[in-house]
Amino acid sequence: MEEKLKIAVQKSGRLHDGSISLLKECGIRIDNGRDQLIAPARDFPVEVLFLRNSDIPQYLEDGVADMAILGENVVIEKQKQVEVVEKLGFSRCRLSLAVPKNTEYTGPEWFKNRKLATSYPNTLEKYLEENNIKAEIHEISGSVEIAPNIGLADGICDLVSSGSTLFKNNLKEVEVMLRSEAALVKGPDLNREKVAIADELLFRLRSVMASRNNKYILLNAPNEKIDDICNVLPGMKSPTIMPLAMEGWSSLHSVISEKDFWAVIGKLKENGAQGILVIPIEKMVV
Ligand code: ATP
Ligand code: MG
C-alpha cells in the first residue's frame, strides 16, 4: 500500500480555518473534514487528522501523527520530541503575564509569593525560575482571564493577541514571556517515503507563503527615469523592462514584498512612475 503522511490539525478553534486553507492552497483537499477524526486528501498522499491542539505533541511523539500545524506556544509548553520545521505566519500571539489593571506593577519581582493562574504551567515555571521568582502556579484549562476577578489568583499567564480579553476583564499585560505563531512541526521518526512527502509539502508551503508575502507590480515610466526606479525597487532579480509604443517610455515589471509595499509605492511615484498596477500572486515557486 502507498505510504501516506499523517498531518494533524486542530479539530476546532483558532488554528482550524487557517490550517485548512493553507493546506488547500498547497493542493491538499479533503472532503467534509470536521465530523471525522481522519480524512484522506485527494491527489496527494496525505491523511489529515483532526485533534485537540494540546494533545497533538504527544501524538507526534508517539507516531500517531507524523506532522502537524500547531502554535509554537504549544510546542514549547508540552516539551515533547517534536521539531518546528517552518513558521507559517498566522495565528500570531504572545504568552504574557497580566495583573489587575489598578495594580502598581514594579517588575517581575511583583510576582514573588503570588498566585498565578495559567494553562501553560511548564512555560511559566521556567520563566519564574529564570527570573528567580518563587510563586504559586494554579493550572486551569480555560478561561484563565477570569481567575483574578473570582479571587482564584493574583495574576495570570495567558495568550494575548489584541489584548481585548484582558481589557474586558480589567487586566493589563505586564510582561511578554514569548511570541508565537502557527508552525509546521514534525515528530521524531519519519521513514524515507514520509520524508519525501514532507519535503514536497514543505516546497508547496513555501511557495504559497512567498506568494502571500509578495505582489507583482507593473508601471510605466520615461526611459531616463528607469535607473532611478530600479534603485528604489528592493530585492528579487532585476526587473523586466519593455518598450512602450509611446516613444521614450517603458513598462517595468517586478515583484515587491507586501511589507515594503507602501514605502516603495511612494518612492516610485516621486521618481516618475505612472500607471502603477499591483497584482496578487497566485503561487510563487521558490
Ligand atoms: P485545544 O484544541 O486543545 O482545545 P485551545 O483551546 O488552546 O486548544 P485555541 O484557543 O483555539 O485552542 O487556540 C489555538 C492556538 O491559537 C493557540 O495555541 C495559539 O497558538 C493561537 N492563538 C492566537 N491568538 C490567540 C489568542 N488571542 N488566544 C489564544 N490563542 C491564540
Ligand atoms: Mg479549546
Side-chain angles (χ1 to χ4, degrees):
M1 207 187 83
E2 188 192 25
E3 190 75 279
K4 287 190 175 181
L5 185 77
K6 283 175 280 181
I7 304 176
V9 301
Q10 191 185 25
K11 186 172 170 55
S12 67
R14 291 170 190 271
L15 283 179
H16 176 86
D17 292 352
S19 306
I20 296 299
S21 53
L22 188 58
L23 291 178
K24 202 169 162 190
E25 284 183 71
C26 293
I28 297 167
R29 275 162 235 280
I30 42 175
D31 305 307
N32 68 321
R34 246 174 217 267
D35 317 323
Q36 303 164 258
L37 170 65
I38 187 160
R42 282 183 260 149
D43 315 319
F44 198 61
V46 154
E47 281 174 325
V48 179
L49 274 69
F50 297 93
L51 298 168
R52 289 281 307 266
N53 228 322
S54 35
D55 297 336
I56 291 176
Q58 184 70 60
Y59 284 129
L60 286 169
E61 190 175 277
D62 295 343
V64 173
D66 301 309
M67 299 190 96
I69 295 177
L70 205 53
E72 294 172 289
N73 52 305
V74 178
V75 175
I76 293 165
E77 172 63 22
K78 296 298 178 183
Q79 305 176 356
K80 301 291 176 194
Q81 285 186 58
V82 306
E83 192 188 314
V84 170
V85 180
E86 188 86 4
K87 298 187 184 208
L88 300 176
F90 66 98
S91 278
R92 287 208 166 86
C93 59
R94 48 199 189 270
L95 187 63
S96 292
L97 292 170
V99 299
K101 205 157 37 194
N102 54 13
T103 305
E104 264 184 56
Y105 183 75
T106 46
E109 64 280 5
W110 184 89
F111 290 100
K112 278 198 174 124
N113 301 318
R114 308 265 183 179
K115 276 193 213 168
L116 280 165
T118 190
S119 311
Y120 291 85
N122 295 326
T123 314
L124 177 57
E125 195 182 323
K126 193 156 163 266
Y127 175 88
L128 293 174
E129 241 171 60
E130 280 166 9
N131 285 276
N132 249 322
I133 295 163
K134 280 217 160 29
E136 200 180 314
I137 300 176
H138 271 260
E139 183 177 353
I140 47 180
S141 60
S143 303
V144 171
E145 65 281 359
I146 63 168
N149 292 312
I150 59 172
L152 186 71
D154 302 304
I156 64 166
C157 156
D158 202 8
L159 294 173
V160 183
S161 45
S162 68
S164 66
T165 304
L166 294 183
F167 183 81
K168 278 186 221 148
N169 286 280
N170 275 310
L171 300 171
K172 63 179 177 187
E173 185 178 9
V174 290
E175 304 289 341
V176 176
M177 291 163 54
L178 62 87
R179 290 180 192 281
S180 171
E181 63 188 80
L184 181 72
V185 302
K186 75 173 177 73
D189 27 51
L190 272 59
N191 64 28
R192 254 195 23 229
E193 284 126 304
K194 287 182 176 182
V195 167
I197 303 167
D199 285 347
E200 170 66 20
L201 173 67
L202 193 58
F203 161 73
R204 293 185 185 190
L205 275 171
R206 287 181 175 148
S207 301
V208 169
M209 287 190 296
S211 71
R212 283 182 178 180
N213 295 334
N214 289 281
K215 301 273 180 235
Y216 193 79
I217 181 165
L218 300 90
L219 57 87
N220 296 332
N223 289 343
E224 66 273 16
K225 297 280 190 186
I226 291 288
D227 281 350
D228 292 345
I229 288 175
C230 288
N231 288 333
V232 168
L233 285 169
M236 290 301 284
K237 296 199 187 104
S238 55
T240 305
I241 299 165
M242 286 173 289
L244 287 182
M246 187 169 22
E247 189 73 24
W249 281 68
S250 295
S251 164
L252 187 150
H253 299 198
S254 190
V255 173
I256 60 173
S257 103
E258 176 85 68
K259 69 176 172 30
D260 298 329
F261 179 75
W262 288 110
V264 170
I265 293 296
K267 286 191 209 148
L268 291 175
K269 281 167 63 179
E270 280 167 30
N271 284 283
Q274 294 182 16
I276 302 172
L277 289 180
V278 179
I279 302 169
I281 298 171
E282 167 73 26
K283 295 281 188 298
M284 199 161 136
V285 177
V286 289

